[in-house]
Amino acid sequence: MAHPQMLLHRASMCARREALGILTAEAASDVSEAEVVLDAKWVTEERCYGAYWVNYAMYALRNMRARLILCGYLDANGMISYGDMFAWVCRYFRTRTDSEVCQFCIQSTKDRAHCDLLSTGKTAH
């Protein structure tokens, strides 16, 4: 399971926010006191956003077992690597605005709801 980088208000990393160049936004949660890390010295906001899509691809392909056997077969036989398959699924999810699942993924990355603990269950549903 992959999770976005979060900044907890009383964690030591929070005190080093400026030194680490951390840019955050409030997490989309009624109960969370955390902030989502969007940008830092070690990663750009664009790369963070791209990682959210990799998380959805990993969840769909691996965690939900949607294509576990097929992906393993394709990778083992040199037809397409896991990385390339995840990248393809990311592009697919980002462009299929006619799909309810893809619409959910698109909206949740825009409003940072992908950080919500229940996001994976909502994706599966």
Side-chain angles (χ1 to χ4, degrees), residues 5-82:
Q5 176 71 47
M6 304 292 283
L7 189 63
L8 304 175
H9 292 173
R10 288 174 283 289
S12 61
M13 186 183 240
C14 193
R16 299 178 50 216
R17 173 193 306 250
E18 191 173 318
L20 297 171
I22 297 174
L23 173 69
T24 63
E26 289 295 319
S29 172
D30 295 337
V31 296
S32 177
E33 293 182 7
E35 298 171 52
V36 181
V37 174
L38 300 176
D39 197 348
K41 288 183 178 179
W42 64 88
V43 66
T44 64
E45 187 171 355
E46 181 180 327
R47 289 193 60 131
C48 280
Y49 187 71
Y52 303 155
W53 289 101
V54 171
N55 184 47
Y56 279 125
M58 286 174 52
Y59 185 72
L61 295 176
R62 296 284 300 169
N63 297 17
M64 291 183 60
R65 310 278 193 225
R67 298 288 181 253
L68 178 62
I69 294 172
L70 176 60
C71 288
Y73 173 82
L74 295 173
D75 182 65
N77 289 288
M79 297 173 179
I80 186 169
S81 68
Y82 278 110

